[in-house]
Each structure stands twice: as C-alpha cells, then as structure tokens.
Amino acid sequence: MRRTPFELAAVATAAVPGLTPMAAASAPDDAADFDSALLLDSEGKRWRVRSPRHPEASARLETEFMILRAFAPAIRAELPFLMPTVAGTVRQGALSTFVYAHLAGATRSIEELSSCSDALAKEIGAALAAVHDLPQSLVNNADLPSYTANEFRQRKLNELDQAATTGKIPPALLRRWEHALEDVALWRFNPCVVHGDLHEDNLLIDGDSVTAVTGWTDLRIGDPADDFAWLVASNEQRFVESVLRHYTEARRDTPDGHLLRRSALLAEFALAQYLVKALAAGHSDMTEEAEAMLKSLADDIEEQNALAAEEAAAAAAELAASELAASELAASELAASDGLAAPAVVIASEAKASEGGSAKPTVSVTAIPEPAGDPANGTASAPEAPSEADDTSTTALQIVEPAPLQDAKKH
C-alpha cells in the first residue's frame, strides 16, 4: 500500500528528533520501489523522505547509507557536486525509512536535458568524469562489487543467457547482442568507479549547473559505459557528443574508443533486464509492456538496417558510376593525344570488323594506369580508397528507443 506524503512526514519525526513538519508534497522517485516526499519544517528547512515498498528496496537504501558514509569529507570536497546526507533513519519491521537533508536543484526530463546549453552539457560531463576518477580504494574498502573488463563482459553474457531462456526476446535482438558481446575488441576498457544507476532522475539541476548527484545504491568498479547508457538512449547525437567531449577533457584517463558503442548496447539490453525483472516479480502488466518495447525496438532496428543497406547500395552504385565515367573520360583523352596508346576498351562491333569473323568477342574494360597527378599533362592522381576509421559514434550500434523506455528505467 502506497504511503501518502503526510504519512511519510509522521515517520520522519521518529527518524529525526525535533523535526516538526509544516508541509509535505510527493517527490519523484522509482515508483515501484519507493514512496518519497519533500517536507518543510517549522524553521523553513527542507527534507526528503524515502520509504521502501519491499525488502529489496530497503536493502538498497541501507547499502546507499553505507556508501555515503564511505565518502569522507575530503573526498566530497573534491567533487563538483553535492551528495546526499542522511539525517536520520527509522526501522519498521523489515523496512527502513531514511530522511535526507534537502539538496538544491530539481530534476529535468531527458528531453529537456538533451536540448540543454553547452554549459550544462559541460557540467554533466565534468560530473561523470569526477565519478569515474574517484579512487578505486573507496569501492574496495567498502567491500562493494568490482569487475575487470572480461568479468563485466562475462556477466553480461550470463544475463543474456538468462534473458534468452524467457523465450520472449525477439531473435534478431538476441543475435545482435550476442555478436556485440562476442566482439572482444569492443570490451577492452580500463575499469573505473561507476555510479551504476545514473539517469536524469538522479541529477539535480539549477540553471546551467549540476548541483547534486543522488541514487548511490549501485556504486562499483566496472565499465564507464554503464553511466553513459541513459545519455545514448536519448538519441540526441549533439547532446551526447557535447557531454562526451567535456567528459574527455575533464577525465584523468583517456576514454576508450568504443565507449559509446557499448553504451548503446547497454541501453538496448536494459529492456531485456526489465523483462526478466518483471517476470521474476510476477507483474503481468510490466511483462506485457517489456515485450511490446522489445518488439518495437526490434522492428525499428530492422527498418533502420534496411534503410542503411539501401543507402550503402546507392552509394556503391554512385561510386561505380563515377569511376566508370572517369575511366571512359581518361580513355577518350588518351586516344585524342598524339603518341599515346589506344584505349584499353574493346567494343564488340569494332572487334568484329578487325577480325573479319562473326564470333562476338567479350567486352573487356581494363583500368588504364594514370600518372601520379601531373598538372602539366592534365591528369589527376587516382582517388584514395576510403579509410575505415574506428567508429566511436553510436552509428555502428544505433539505439532506436521506443518512447516508453524512459519510464521503464524507473520501475
């Protein structure tokens, strides 16, 4: 049963002695896991209350409490944003409710963030860099999870196998994710401290500044791409590239070239994890929603791949046509020049006349060697083959996200 803001205010008075709430209002949170409220006390101070709806959510809050205590004042002072501070807690049966000192700022939707100024994109990039540059001893000393690059990849393979056993993942998505996970080169990265649950609801914004980062329940050492998945899922390339540029400038280590490609994969795979979670909880509505989103994703990717194939075929045909035209033009110029060899293009009718026979010869087109760009002779150097630069954009692993995905992440 969901608790009202006034019920949460009453619980908060037991957690923080002397707290006298004068007003209460609902606060945004993971609706499936928490009831939350903002309080205003008699002294004009604000507080946030988070009450878990089930034992697993309560355990997450207790883990976060332990994590927050690991952030010594010296570490907090180095961060470009504020972190939550627990003012009090009260246990009711198997569940623990936590009261936090209020943090300035407000959350913004992903649509609002993706159209933000470059100044705010810089703030987000700097915040991500600060998290990823935290000392790994912080995680190790708190006995939190730590994964090498290979361990992280193997963990995702295991999760993929689990999702496949549901029989509800479109085969095209399973093949797509399996191929990406088997590409060892894609998973060569330097593990670092990651927030683990970063998304728009865990960023507090004031103007063009990131004032605070919340939701520290999944801190670990792992893949930095985890904290970029929500950005890539926005499908706003300008926003993602701006954040990445400022993140790269702020980080002590140079990010690997496949960061955004893995982020795209993780953003897609979040739907499969949502499905598994819904099935485990026995929520039929969530299960149907997850299946619908997975089908929509598979359909959109299939449509995108077909369009990409058409564009590639058209580009190849255009290139072939231009090369043929260039070859014919060069042959014509050579034929018209004194002292140059005849063109290496044998036309069937000409061959018949020269041979006096009736047999139809094969038409052959042989490339004519050209001088290396001699302006005096009016020739141009051969065009260079296009290079296959390492793709660090989301193009190679594009996310086409159905609209409900943003809501799914919050369940």
Side-chain angles (χ1 to χ4, degrees):
M1 181 178 178
R2 188 170 298 279
R3 292 185 174 185
T4 67
F6 295 104
E7 290 174 328
L8 293 176
V11 174
T13 60
V16 183
L19 175 61
T20 306
M22 301 299 292
S26 296
D29 211 323
D30 296 331
D33 297 329
F34 303 102
D35 295 323
S36 295
L38 291 178
L39 309 180
L40 180 67
D41 70 10
S42 57
E43 297 179 0
K45 294 181 180 179
R46 297 185 179 186
W47 310 83
R48 186 186 185 196
V49 186
R50 299 188 80 193
S51 182
R53 296 177 59 82
H54 50 78
E56 181 186 353
S58 182
R60 287 175 58 194
L61 288 183
E62 291 169 3
T63 299
E64 182 185 44
F65 182 41
M66 177 191 67
I67 291 171
L68 292 175
R69 287 191 300 178
F71 280 84
I75 295 178
R76 290 183 179 232
E78 293 294 324
L79 297 173
F81 52 79
L82 297 176
M83 295 182 62
T85 300
V86 177
T89 180
V90 60
R91 191 170 185 86
Q92 297 174 299
L95 307 179
S96 295
T97 296
F98 285 78
V99 180
Y100 303 82
H102 177 69
L103 293 169
T107 60
R108 294 187 187 175
S109 68
I110 189 63
E111 291 78 17
E112 291 173 320
L113 289 177
S114 60
S115 60
C116 72
S117 66
D118 188 66
L120 181 53
K122 181 178 182 179
E123 286 272 311
I124 296 173
L128 281 164
V131 173
H132 294 173
D133 282 337
L134 283 168
Q136 296 190 13
S137 59
L138 178 72
V139 172
N140 294 328
N141 292 342
D143 199 26
L144 295 170
S146 177
Y147 305 103
T148 64
N150 188 57
E151 287 171 343
F152 184 84
R153 171 175 164 270
Q154 186 59 53
R155 182 180 176 86
K156 293 301 173 185
L157 280 168
N158 294 340
E159 291 176 358
L160 179 61
D161 289 341
Q162 182 184 15
T165 60
T166 66
K168 297 179 180 295
I169 308 293
L173 291 181
L174 286 176
R175 290 193 299 270
R176 175 182 174 88
W177 296 338
E178 185 177 29
H179 291 162
L181 287 166
E182 289 176 349
D183 183 0
V184 178
L186 189 63
W187 300 91
R188 290 177 183 149
F189 61 87
N190 292 325
C192 65
V193 176
V194 296
H195 181 280
D197 189 30
L198 200 60
H199 50 76
E200 63 273 18
D201 287 344
N202 284 333
L203 291 179
L204 296 183
I205 311 295
D206 184 12
D208 285 337
S209 299
V210 175
T211 57
V213 178
T214 62
W216 296 86
T217 57
D218 295 312
L219 191 73
R220 57 180 176 265
I221 295 174
D223 187 355
D226 260 351
D227 289 343
F228 275 86
W230 69 284
L231 287 169
V232 174
S234 72
N235 272 334
E236 292 293 337
Q237 187 173 355
R238 181 201 63 82
F239 172 55
V240 175
E241 290 179 350
S242 181
V243 172
L244 179 63
R245 182 177 72 256
H246 294 301
Y247 167 82
T248 302
E249 292 171 354
R251 275 219 68 183
R252 298 193 189 101
D253 292 337
T254 302
D256 68 277
H258 298 299
L259 175 65
L260 292 187
R261 294 180 64 192
R262 291 197 311 278
S263 301
L265 171 67
L266 296 174
E268 289 183 6
F269 194 57
L271 288 179
Q273 294 170 313
Y274 178 53
L275 172 66
V276 171
K277 181 179 180 180
L279 289 170
H283 290 299
S284 58
D285 291 344
M286 289 174 59
T287 301
E288 291 177 4
E289 182 184 28
E291 289 185 74
M293 288 190 292
L294 284 164
K295 183 180 184 305
S296 179
L297 175 63
D299 291 344
D300 289 342
I301 288 175
E302 182 178 355
E303 180 180 347
Q304 185 185 71
N305 288 342
L307 180 61
E310 290 178 3
E311 292 176 348
E318 183 178 353
L319 177 62
S322 64
E323 289 178 345
L324 178 59
S327 176
E328 291 175 347
L329 177 60
S332 176
E333 292 176 347
L334 286 173
S337 301
D338 292 334
L340 292 182
V345 179
V346 182
I347 306 299
S349 60
E350 295 175 348
K352 281 184 180 181
S354 62
E355 295 178 5
S358 60
K360 183 177 180 179
T362 302
V363 178
S364 61
V365 180
T366 306
I368 302 174
E370 298 182 3
D374 186 356
N377 294 331
T379 59
S381 60
E384 296 181 359
S387 62
E388 296 184 359
D390 196 12
D391 184 6
T392 58
S393 72
T394 58
T395 303
L397 192 59
Q398 180 68 34
I399 289 296
V400 182
E401 180 179 3
L405 176 54
Q406 295 299 332
D407 296 330
K409 294 176 186 172
K410 302 171 187 175
H411 288 297

